[in-house]
Amino acid sequence: MLSRKTKYGLKALSYLARCEEDAPVQISVISTAENISLKFLESILLTLRKAGFLGSKKGKGGGYYLLKEAKDISIAEVYRVLEGPIALVPCVSLNFYEKCDDCPDEDKCSVHGLMIQVRDSNLRILENTSLEDLINKI
Amino acid sequence: MLSRKTKYGLKALSYLARCEEDAPVQISVISTAENISLKFLESILLTLRKAGFLGSKKGKGGGYYLLKEAKDISIAEVYRVLEGPIALVPCVSLNFYEKCDDCPDEDKCSVHGLMIQVRDSNLRILENTSLEDLINKI
DNA sequence: AATTTATCCTATAGGATTAGTAGGATAAAC
DNA sequence: GTTTATCCTACTAATCCTATAGGATAAATT
């Protein structure tokens, strides 16, 4: 299951991508438009800024804006920043690998192969979907 | 991320599927073989029995055994029982549908379409993989 | 310079979920 | 009737999720 944090983050990014102008958008505007708690959204946007997706401006006329073009932001990147690993188990994660403490030998684990299949299929989708794709769907 | 409950459940089912004989297998045997806490495994097997995957026998010589052939148990079914929805968000779940409180209109949600794609791709894998496939991979 | 506006940032609270444990009840076999 | 093994409810500790509080900082306006 996707956390609200990730879902809200994706919706906020989509909102910004739909604002074609470069003018910064205030948190409160996004929060109202997308029905997201203002303070929660604030912390999410902060995370996205630190991760390099967003720029910000303080003071009057300030707000957040995309640093890259929507077509150059893959959902997989956003997912990893907000949600963490795309894989279902750490032992098949490419970016967050961890050994399972219950498995003496990964190759003999009956679940391992399936988990790789699921990971690859999800990767294929998330890496090949951009923010632009999200807002261009009908 | 997959919970330990589901992972342990799949490993336990795989263990039972590998025991070709019909003789019941004790929890403690599986627990030792798969490095799973005995009491935790006990509760998992109980769930799987109530869901119709396993039969059990009490007393000496008792234990758990598969009720169906391994090839007739799809991982999707097991997943739903132990983990819950396969979908990443409730609003695209086929078996656990719930409306999102932040979305006035699902069709206008920028994330919705992507979530359906992910769901379908995962469904395709999990429904077409049987317990037999799990133990037959090399 | 003072005020307003909006982000920055740390800390924290409350609830839900997860992972596991305790311990007696029940039933089958010997 | 003793042993064996599942059955079942309840409980706990730890972690994670969602959200909030409240002041610090910086930019623009007056």
Side-chain angles (χ1 to χ4, degrees):
Chain A
M1 282 275 139
L2 206 67
S3 66
R4 273 162 192 271
K5 185 166 143 189
T6 304
K7 190 187 174 199
Y8 291 166
L10 288 173
K11 287 178 100 173
L13 287 172
S14 302
Y15 187 92
L16 289 172
R18 276 193 302 263
C19 298
E20 294 165 32
E21 306 139 27
D22 292 349
V25 180
Q26 295 163 35
I27 303 174
S28 61
V29 172
I30 307 176
S31 152
T32 305
E34 300 286 348
N35 290 305
I36 304 171
S37 145
L38 192 140
K39 291 297 266 183
F40 193 25
L41 181 59
E42 187 183 326
S43 74
I44 296 169
L45 295 180
L46 207 54
T47 304
L48 289 173
R49 183 183 63 79
K50 288 182 177 168
F53 295 107
L54 298 178
S56 65
K57 266 196 172 174
K58 289 181 176 180
K60 186 162 188 178
Y64 284 96
Y65 51 92
L66 290 180
L67 281 180
K68 295 193 279 185
E69 286 185 58
K71 70 174 172 55
D72 295 326
I73 297 179
S74 92
I75 305 304
E77 297 176 83
V78 180
Y79 191 102
R80 289 203 187 93
V81 165
L82 294 178
E83 190 77 18
I86 290 172
L88 286 182
V89 284
C91 67
V92 302
S93 171
L94 300 176
N95 292 265
F96 300 82
Y97 176 83
E98 261 181 78
K99 197 180 170 309
C100 294
D101 41 4
D102 58 311
C103 281
D105 183 355
E106 283 176 10
D107 294 335
K108 285 183 185 150
C109 171
S110 55
V111 185
H112 199 251
L114 176 66
M115 294 297 103
I116 288 180
Q117 269 188 68
V118 172
R119 178 202 67 194
D120 287 343
S121 119
N122 284 333
L123 269 182
R124 198 159 29 238
I125 296 175
L126 297 179
E127 283 183 343
N128 291 321
T129 303
S130 71
L131 199 51
E132 191 174 57
D133 296 327
L134 279 203
I135 66 175
N136 281 344
K137 58 117 199 172
I138 316 258
Chain B
M1 282 276 141
L2 205 67
S3 65
R4 272 161 194 271
K5 185 166 141 188
T6 304
K7 189 186 174 201
Y8 291 168
L10 288 174
K11 288 178 98 174
L13 286 172
S14 302
Y15 187 91
L16 289 172
R18 276 193 302 263
C19 298
E20 294 166 32
E21 306 140 28
D22 292 350
V25 180
Q26 295 163 35
I27 303 174
S28 60
V29 172
I30 307 175
S31 152
T32 305
E34 300 286 348
N35 289 306
I36 305 170
S37 143
L38 192 140
K39 291 297 268 180
F40 192 25
L41 180 59
E42 186 184 327
S43 74
I44 296 169
L45 295 180
L46 207 54
T47 304
L48 290 173
R49 182 183 65 80
K50 287 182 178 168
F53 296 107
L54 298 177
S56 64
K57 264 196 173 175
K58 289 181 176 179
K60 187 164 189 182
Y64 284 96
Y65 50 92
L66 291 178
L67 280 180
K68 295 192 278 185
E69 287 185 58
K71 71 175 172 50
D72 295 326
I73 299 178
S74 93
I75 305 304
E77 296 176 81
V78 180
Y79 191 103
R80 289 203 186 93
V81 166
L82 294 178
E83 190 76 18
I86 289 172
L88 286 182
V89 284
C91 67
V92 302
S93 172
L94 301 176
N95 292 266
F96 300 84
Y97 175 83
E98 262 181 78
K99 198 178 170 312
C100 295
D101 41 3
D102 57 311
C103 281
D105 183 356
E106 283 176 10
D107 294 336
K108 285 182 184 150
C109 171
S110 56
V111 185
H112 200 251
L114 176 65
M115 293 297 104
I116 289 181
Q117 270 188 66
V118 171
R119 177 202 68 192
D120 287 342
S121 118
N122 284 333
L123 268 182
R124 199 158 27 238
I125 295 175
L126 297 179
E127 283 182 343
N128 291 322
T129 303
S130 70
L131 199 51
E132 190 175 58
D133 296 328
L134 280 202
I135 64 174
N136 281 343
K137 59 112 200 173
I138 305 277

